[in-house]
Amino acid sequence: LDLRVEAGEGFGFLGRNGAGKTTAVMMLLGCVAPTAGDATVFGEPIGTPASRSRVGFLPEKFRFHEFLTARELLMFHGRLAGMSRQACAARIPDVLDLVGLGDAIDKQVREFSKGMQQRVGLGQALIADPDLLVLDEPTSALDPLGRRDVRDVLLRLKEQGKTVFLNSHLLSEVELCCDRVAVLDHGRVLRQGPIDELLHSVMRLDIRADALTPSLVESLASYGSVEGWEEDAGTLRVGVGDPDIIPDLTRALVAGGADVHSIVPHRESLEEFFVRVVQDGDA
């Protein structure tokens, strides 16, 4: 696993179940010892107090002390992070307001719904004002409105210069929150880079035209991958790597005798990109 996350960016860590995402995160946090290799967080070797002192973490599977109130839970975690009691007391109301639990500050965790527990979990990750926030499936228990609220929080943190490391299966959320992603499979990175660049690599053109002939359709292979031709319906799809060739492709259709009704470009979504890369084992 060769990975680098830059300061101040949103980074999506993607992979199917069992790809090694959580294991890698636990290694970076010093909870699991690697059998080989080395890594640093903020320039400090993983597993050291110095490497963890600026990190906030929300694991996918968590259990908080149910007898504590939200205020007491955040006080406990703030004190564990080395904050003074006074600093915790001053920060707790702001953090709970940020995650949408301001009205539940003195409610016990046992009274919380799953979504509220997820929010207080995000609060404990934020209490010490970390420079790096590591989140493992942070919106798994939230409804669409709750996911939007968490997304807004993450975008606000990025604006403040925080680094967000997001492990999530909700790729639409990753696409909205992150600048770069890495796709992991069996412990190795298949692809990584800026989302805009990765998704720019393939565009699908949905074409509808009359008088398409087999020879004309075959000739379109010089522009990209041709599939889904339905002669009766006059439709086909062409996958192209460079959208600038669309005018040339259109002229080729017309010159070949086709009556073009529409050419509709579709940018590949992050989910489509992920499925393609993982299924192909594309490295």
Side-chain angles (χ1 to χ4, degrees), residues 43 60 72 90 108 117 126 155 173 178 196 203 227 265 271:
E60 179 182 9
E72 291 167 341
Q108 288 182 309
Q117 290 179 26
L126 291 170
L155 293 174
E173 296 295 316
C178 295
D196 289 344
M203 173 181 283
E227 59 183 30
E271 181 173 342

Side-chain angles (χ1 to χ4, degrees), residues 15-278:
R16 65 175 105 194
N17 291 334
K21 304 185 302 299
T22 297
T23 299
V25 166
M26 289 302 181
M27 287 181 182
L28 292 172
L29 295 172
C31 301
V32 173
T35 53
D38 58 82
T40 60
V41 177
F42 296 114
E44 300 288 344
I46 56 173
T48 61
S51 73
R52 291 188 286 194
S53 62
R54 297 162 59 189
V55 179
F57 176 48
L58 175 62
E60 179 182 9
K61 297 176 181 178
F62 56 81
R63 288 293 300 272
F64 296 125
H65 301 86
E66 296 185 346
F67 57 87
L68 295 179
T69 65
R71 186 197 304 271
E72 291 167 341
L73 179 67
L74 265 60
M75 175 65 75
F76 175 61
H77 283 272
R79 296 288 285 146
L80 285 175
M83 298 176 69
S84 69
R85 184 172 294 277
Q86 293 76 16
C88 279
R91 182 164 167 75
I92 285 170
D94 292 337
V95 170
L96 289 176
D97 281 339
L98 183 65
V99 298
L101 289 178
D103 294 337
I105 189 169
D106 290 315
K107 268 190 173 182
Q108 288 182 309
V109 173
R110 64 164 53 99
E111 301 176 48
F112 284 5
S113 66
K114 179 62 176 173
M116 292 173 70
Q117 290 179 26
Q118 197 87 31
R119 289 171 183 268
V120 81
L122 182 59
Q124 68 78 27
L126 291 170
I127 186 61
D129 195 21
D131 293 312
L132 168 62
L133 193 62
V134 179
L135 305 174
D136 198 350
E137 298 291 350
T139 59
S140 60
L142 301 178
D143 59 25
L145 290 177
R147 289 199 294 271
R148 186 188 65 182
D149 291 343
V150 170
R151 185 196 319 145
D152 290 343
V153 170
L154 299 185
L155 293 174
R156 202 175 317 164
L157 291 170
K158 279 177 53 187
E159 290 174 0
Q160 297 172 8
K162 309 293 187 184
T163 305
V164 177
F165 188 95
L166 181 60
N167 174 9
S168 177
H169 285 116
L170 294 173
L171 301 191
S172 59
E173 296 295 316
V174 173
E175 194 167 354
L176 291 169
C177 293
C178 295
D179 308 298
R180 292 197 307 130
V181 297
V183 179
L184 193 71
D185 191 41
H186 293 91
R188 66 188 182 101
V189 173
L190 297 181
R191 296 285 295 276
Q192 66 177 308
I195 290 179
D196 289 344
E197 291 183 11
L198 294 174
L199 300 189
H200 185 74
S201 60
V202 175
M203 173 181 283
R204 187 182 79 244
L205 305 178
D206 287 343
I207 299 172
R208 187 167 71 86
D210 293 333
L212 287 171
T213 64
S215 59
L216 177 56
V217 171
E218 186 178 345
S219 71
L220 296 180
S222 62
Y223 298 93
S225 60
V226 180
E227 59 183 30
W229 179 38
E230 297 184 13
E231 186 172 4
D232 293 340
T235 60
L236 74 156
R237 292 185 299 276
V238 180
V240 300
D242 183 359
D244 291 339
I245 71 171
I246 295 176
D248 291 337
L249 185 148
T250 305
R251 284 190 285 268
L253 284 168
V254 174
D259 296 322
V260 180
H261 292 278
S262 64
I263 298 178
V264 181
H266 294 279
R267 182 76 64 196
E268 188 177 39
S269 70
L270 184 59
E271 181 173 342
E272 290 170 330
F273 168 80
F274 171 81
V275 170
R276 175 171 61 83
V277 167
V278 170

